[in-house]
Amino acid sequence: MDTPRDIHGTRVLICGAEGPLLEGEGDIGTFLGAAWSEDAAMVAIPVSRLSPSFFQLSSRLAGEVAQKFVNYQIRLAVIGDISQWSEQSKALRDFVYESNRSKALWFVDDLDALERRLASA
């Protein structure tokens, strides 16, 4: 179940661990629509709701998702352990590093880490 929550002045739609996967560009609208309906400025999507192809940068899914969220001015946080993919891909590690330096897309281990990040933003 997706739950809206105000965290340090930011309305965040926290997506439940179970639900439709974000598997392709056509699925992005589902998550953006849910954010708009809750007036959320950020969507927190758990790793379990992302297709494994999201973490394979050659699929271009991560870039498409990030760009669509930026275009609609909704921030995105990926919540959970992505080490199984990042250990195998320097390109993904670099993407995560650069994303975490921005305000648009963050990769964090858990909701507590997201809360800390929003507190310091």
Side-chain angles (χ1 to χ4, degrees):
M1 172 179 227
D2 299 346
T3 308
R5 193 166 137 209
D6 291 311
I7 303 174
H8 300 290
T10 300
R11 181 93 167 154
V12 180
L13 178 64
I14 301 169
C15 296
E18 297 192 15
L21 285 181
L22 198 165
E23 296 184 276
E25 187 176 356
D27 300 320
I28 300 169
T30 301
F31 291 87
L32 287 171
W36 292 324
S37 71
E38 296 294 346
D39 200 29
M42 174 178 265
V43 176
I45 302 177
V47 169
S48 63
R49 297 277 300 272
L50 297 170
S51 165
S53 64
F54 181 90
F55 302 101
Q56 298 164 353
L57 296 184
S58 62
S59 76
R60 306 178 97 190
L61 180 58
E64 291 170 357
V65 169
Q67 188 60 56
K68 192 75 80 162
F69 273 79
V70 166
N71 288 349
Y72 288 101
Q73 299 178 0
I74 303 286
R75 296 163 64 192
L76 176 62
V78 174
I79 310 293
D81 180 14
I82 64 166
S83 62
Q84 70 183 51
W85 296 285
S86 63
E87 289 173 356
Q88 300 172 15
S89 172
K90 181 181 181 326
L92 179 60
R93 286 191 304 274
D94 291 345
F95 180 74
V96 169
Y97 175 79
E98 291 300 325
S99 295
N100 281 339
R101 294 181 61 196
S102 76
K103 292 182 179 185
L105 171 60
W106 295 341
F107 291 82
V108 295
D109 290 331
D110 52 36
L111 286 175
D112 290 337
L114 178 60
E115 287 185 27
R116 288 190 301 275
R117 190 81 198 261
L118 286 169
S120 66

